[in-house]
Amino acid sequence: MSDATGLTILAEGLRFPEGPIALPDGSVILVEIAAGRITKVGPDGGKTVVATPGGGPNGIAMGPGGKIYCCNNGGFLWHEGPEGLRPAGVPADYAGGRIEVIDPMTGGVTRLYDRCGENTLKGPNDIVFAPKGSPGEGGFWFSDLGKVRARDRDHGGVYWAASDGSRIVEAAFPIFGGANGIALSPDGRTLYAAETETGRLWAWDVEGPGVVRKDPWPSSNGGRVICQFPGYRRLDSIAATAAGNICVATLVSGEITTVSPTGEILRVVKMPERMPTNICFGGPGLRTAYVTLSLTGRLAAMPWDEPGLELPFG
């Protein structure tokens, strides 16, 4: 049953779902961060485990050879209460973050990266492949949220990495409030990242694999803030549309916010909970938005007002 916006719940009982990938057959692959697994939700809502990498599988993307590339944040502590399930710190068995490659046919998991030079990855969060012909071709961009402890935190950042595991580059650092959602413009020449705790949407011009044009000080990371969200809003994952707009999963206020490339807020769509964490596009003409409602463990779908951007590797 759908609400006034056309939103329909496709699946329930998921353990903090994130990172949806819409498949041509109407199914959706997503992560269940709190369960340490990757799950496929069929068009009928049925759930099948694809792989169990453990830790905290977070953002995923289809990559070369039909493999799933996964940002694994290393895991969280969890709090479960009347409002639902939410992250609540760093677990005792945390041993760092990593980028993994998963074979969806066998469930096999291969570690691709767990550091950049002498610095270990802390909490890889979201991932987007560079399109063919773009300056980042041959690899993917990913965000690292960092890790938050009771009295301190690791800063976030943005990285580029070769798909074959041969090279990783720190592109923008630090992003003090945690680098979360990441997306590219349709031509792959503008990189966007959402900073969770400050409610800022950042942008950089891409010049090459792992190379972005840096604005001088006082920019903390060389990026430019294209949108400062109003009020108390925390930002999660993002997705681009075919027109180049950026759809932002907006926490606390419980919204999906569409922002233009110049930073204008174009549209705000209320969600049925405060923690819509991710959005992707699928269906005919890429006009269906799939949204993870993580606090309550649900996957939703709704018609969207513009087509999403077709991503590399489907």
Side-chain angles (χ1 to χ4, degrees):
M1 185 174 180
S2 62
D3 65 11
T5 67
L7 184 143
T8 301
I9 300 300
L10 300 181
E12 299 183 277
L14 299 164
R15 299 293 289 172
F16 211 85
E18 257 263 43
I21 300 172
L23 301 181
D25 66 357
S27 59
V28 176
I29 294 178
L30 49 73
V31 305
E32 294 183 73
I33 302 179
R37 66 182 172 232
I38 295 173
T39 300
K40 183 177 182 180
V41 177
D44 62 354
K47 292 174 280 190
T48 306
V49 175
V50 175
T52 308
N58 208 136
I60 55 176
M62 296 302 298
K67 301 296 194 298
I68 298 169
Y69 282 63
C70 175
C71 290
N72 194 312
N73 64 42
F76 292 125
L77 289 175
W78 296 92
H79 173 81
E80 194 157 13
E83 76 284 359
L85 181 68
R86 57 181 170 84
V90 183
D93 62 353
Y94 168 74
R98 61 259 191 191
I99 303 296
E100 298 168 324
V101 181
I102 294 163
D103 186 336
M105 302 302 294
T106 66
V109 180
T110 302
R111 186 172 298 198
L112 196 65
Y113 299 101
D114 58 17
R115 63 182 56 245
C116 180
E118 64 181 17
N119 299 308
T120 58
L121 301 177
K122 305 302 183 183
N125 186 278
D126 204 5
I127 178 173
V128 62
F129 275 88
K132 187 175 181 181
S134 73
E137 183 178 359
F140 54 89
W141 301 89
F142 73 94
S143 60
D144 192 316
L145 188 69
K147 277 294 183 186
V148 179
R149 293 170 291 275
R151 295 286 175 176
D152 60 67
R153 68 173 297 154
D154 301 312
H155 298 319
V158 170
Y159 299 80
W160 178 92
S163 304
D164 62 3
S166 61
R167 183 180 177 224
I168 182 171
V169 180
E170 182 183 275
F173 189 91
I175 298 178
F176 292 115
N180 199 312
I182 196 163
L184 288 163
S185 59
D187 63 4
R189 295 181 179 275
T190 305
L191 178 69
Y192 301 101
E195 186 177 8
T196 296
E197 303 302 340
T198 63
R200 294 171 182 154
L201 184 62
W202 291 88
W204 297 261
D205 296 329
V206 179
E207 296 182 339
V211 180
V212 295
R213 189 182 69 79
K214 298 288 185 73
D215 281 0
W217 181 89
S219 175
S220 58
N221 53 55
R224 58 188 185 275
V225 175
I226 65 165
C227 186
Q228 173 71 69
F229 279 53
Y232 180 39
R233 285 169 169 80
R234 301 167 68 238
L235 308 187
D236 209 298
S237 292
I238 63 180
T241 70
N245 296 319
I246 307 101
C247 298
V248 185
T250 311
L251 309 178
V252 182
S253 58
E255 300 161 343
I256 302 296
T257 309
T258 300
V259 180
S260 76
T262 56
E264 180 186 2
I265 293 178
L266 302 175
R267 184 174 184 240
V268 177
V269 180
K270 287 292 292 184
M271 292 290 109
E273 70 155 78
R274 300 181 73 174
M275 294 279 280
T277 56
N278 211 322
I279 178 172
C280 77
F281 296 102
L286 299 180
R287 294 296 293 261
T288 299
Y290 295 91
V291 179
T292 48
L293 305 173
S294 296
L295 198 66
T296 52
R298 297 178 291 172
L299 173 67
M302 63 186 298
W304 206 246
D305 68 326
E306 59 176 323
L309 178 64
E310 184 175 357
L311 298 174
F313 310 107

